[in-house]
Amino acid sequence: MPEMSVEPYREVTFDRDGDVDATQRDSLAEMDVTDLVMFAHGWNNSPSVADQLYSAFFAPFPGLTGDGVRLGYVGVVWPSMKFTDESIPDFLPSATAPPLHSALESALDKATQDALVELFPGHDGTVRRLAQLLNAQPDSEAAFAEFGSLARQLAEAPVGGVGGTCFTDDLPHDEQGPPAVLFEDSLTMCRRFALALEESVEVTEKEPAVESFAVGGGLKKVWKGAKELLRQTTYYAMKRRAGRVGELGLGPLLGQLARSSPAVRVHLVGHSQGARLVSFALRGLPHGANNVKSLTLLQGAFSHYAFAQSLPHAAHSGGALRSMEHRVDGPVVACYSRHDSALGVIYPLASSLAGDDANVVGLDKRWWAMGHDGIQAVQPLVRLTLEEALRQGIPGSGCVSVDTASVVRRGGPPAGAHSDICHEELARVVLAAGRIGR
């Protein structure tokens, strides 16, 4: 058990198929608590980094709860991966961590290569060749075509029992079409990602990029976009896995906990793709289980239309989680920030359809993420600033979007403030959503 800032604390570990460590699962029933906060990390490869994140996020909770509350904490651990150039504010970098702005370099470090091999068993040669191309940066259109073909081999590999031909998103399949990141011409997509990376620098640093990815320099500069293409193809694999672990793993676990500890109030929290995981757990929650008292989503890396009753661009269809908010005996709260360039700049480009006009992708709300502008197309829906949420409280049910840009604002490119979530104010949002200590 890792050293943690709070107690009692437990970990619950799922494998890629959603199967849970039975001993850890059964230990939850032994916790003498009134409320249980369960937090699912996002795109993290290292369990130790997830532990640091949980410890930092949970640290303010004991000082914010009142008498009569026996609060317990659970860290949900699931097999994901993280490119090592994505930093977490306030976390000390390891001795082997790449430089601050290595996200703008095309080379693929050894730790990220190892993570890719672990994620895609049997594809060692594919990963090795991808790394060779990124390191060599050939000034050749044929090299980009090869790179795109190899990256898509990884995207098509089964992940946790889910084949790559099923690119599960958060909208109905007939509304998705082929995602551009997986089916567009490779060189075209690499150019688009290179420009998006430049924009992410401007968003996070509020100054023009040192060099332009768009003008001059042949194809060398475009390899920075190629690395992002690889990152986003693996993102699709992780997206499928997060939904699977939530629906087939965490959802049934919550049902068992409702039977073994019916008086315990559960509060689900998820960051990034972990927000998708805890949301899809609602689809796997057995009917009749009403122990989930709140759901708080921090910079959710999935569609802002996931809970939509009717899509603005396709009125006959709803989101993949339509009506699932009713399985929460309390509110569903989505925290979002305009400083999150991973979701505000890169996500729409990666999620758009092949053939879409790159010039309008950022303006097309079909491809926006929940962590960019909150929950959309749900009625009723309450929108609050962070200050309003903390001053007046959060409604006791329904969907709520909270603008947290006043605190979620730090981080370098390409992710921006995507992981800037360890703040007392966000802990207070979780407690307010769950009516903990009131």
Side-chain angles (χ1 to χ4, degrees), residues 52-70:
Q52 292 179 62
L53 176 64
Y54 294 150
S55 186
F57 186 80
F58 286 145
F61 279 73
L64 299 173
T65 54
D67 295 335
V69 176
R70 301 191 308 279

Side-chain angles (χ1 to χ4, degrees), residues 67 128 149 187 207 395:
D67 295 335
R128 185 165 54 251
S149 176
L187 181 56
E207 62 183 28

Side-chain angles (χ1 to χ4, degrees), residues 65-398:
T65 54
D67 295 335
V69 176
R70 301 191 308 279
L71 193 57
Y73 309 86
V74 175
V76 176
V77 179
W78 59 287
S80 60
M81 75 155 289
K82 178 181 184 295
F83 276 60
T84 58
D85 57 29
E86 297 180 33
S87 62
I88 301 176
D90 297 327
F91 278 36
L92 292 175
S94 69
T96 59
L100 177 61
H101 292 304
S102 65
L104 302 184
E105 301 298 329
S106 62
L108 198 66
D109 63 276
K110 181 64 163 54
T112 301
Q113 292 180 49
D114 291 343
L116 286 168
V117 169
E118 183 177 350
L119 176 62
F120 301 107
H123 287 267
D124 308 49
T126 302
V127 172
R128 185 165 54 251
R129 179 56 180 161
L130 285 166
Q132 290 171 351
L133 289 169
L134 285 172
N135 294 340
Q137 302 180 34
D139 196 356
S140 157
E141 292 188 17
F144 281 93
E146 180 187 1
F147 185 89
S149 176
L150 292 170
R152 285 155 189 168
Q153 286 181 27
L154 298 185
E156 293 167 357
V159 177
V162 181
T165 54
C166 178
F167 297 114
T168 54
D169 204 330
D170 312 304
L171 305 179
H173 292 294
D174 59 351
E175 299 302 329
Q176 287 185 61
V181 70
L182 300 174
F183 292 94
E184 190 68 84
D185 172 73
S186 299
L187 181 56
T188 298
M189 283 305 302
C190 290
R191 283 189 169 122
R192 291 180 182 178
F193 278 127
L195 288 169
L197 285 171
E198 181 183 58
E199 184 177 348
S200 76
V201 172
E202 295 174 359
V203 168
T204 57
E205 299 187 355
K206 295 183 170 51
E207 62 183 28
V210 174
E211 63 176 349
S212 171
F213 297 117
V215 181
L219 296 178
K220 286 284 186 179
K221 297 177 183 178
V222 182
W223 283 103
K224 299 175 178 67
K227 182 179 181 181
E228 194 59 36
L229 174 65
L230 176 60
R231 189 196 313 268
Q232 295 305 320
T233 54
T234 59
Y235 173 92
Y236 264 87
M238 286 294 91
K239 195 170 188 179
R240 298 197 304 272
R241 179 176 289 178
R244 182 179 181 86
V245 171
E247 184 171 358
L248 301 183
L250 182 57
L253 179 148
L254 294 170
Q256 178 172 325
L257 188 61
R259 294 188 297 272
S260 63
S261 306
V264 174
R265 306 169 74 249
V266 176
H267 310 278
L268 298 178
V269 182
H271 169 239
S272 186
Q273 289 186 350
R276 189 176 199 270
L277 189 157
V278 295
S279 295
F280 273 70
L282 300 178
R283 298 211 315 192
L285 187 67
H287 288 283
N290 64 349
N291 55 338
V292 178
K293 302 301 180 182
S294 66
L295 176 66
T296 304
L297 309 174
L298 307 174
Q299 301 309 117
F302 61 118
S303 173
H304 61 180
Y305 291 136
F307 290 96
Q309 297 145 352
S310 178
L311 301 178
H313 55 279
H316 63 285
S317 298
L321 298 174
R322 177 173 52 185
S323 299
M324 288 295 104
E325 70 271 18
H326 300 303
R327 295 195 174 184
V328 180
D329 187 20
V332 174
V333 181
C335 297
Y336 66 96
S337 170
R338 66 182 179 274
H339 303 299
D340 185 337
S341 53
L343 300 184
V345 178
I346 302 295
Y347 182 95
L349 181 58
S351 301
S352 61
L353 299 185
D356 272 11
D357 185 349
N359 294 322
V360 300
V361 162
L363 302 177
D364 191 337
K365 292 186 177 181
R366 286 180 299 167
W367 316 124
W368 288 9
M370 194 173 294
H372 175 61
D373 67 339
I375 298 170
Q376 300 292 322
V378 173
Q379 294 296 332
L381 173 66
V382 176
R383 300 187 71 86
L384 301 170
T385 65
L386 178 59
E387 293 71 21
E388 289 170 339
L390 297 181
R391 183 177 65 250
Q392 68 192 43
I394 291 174
S397 63

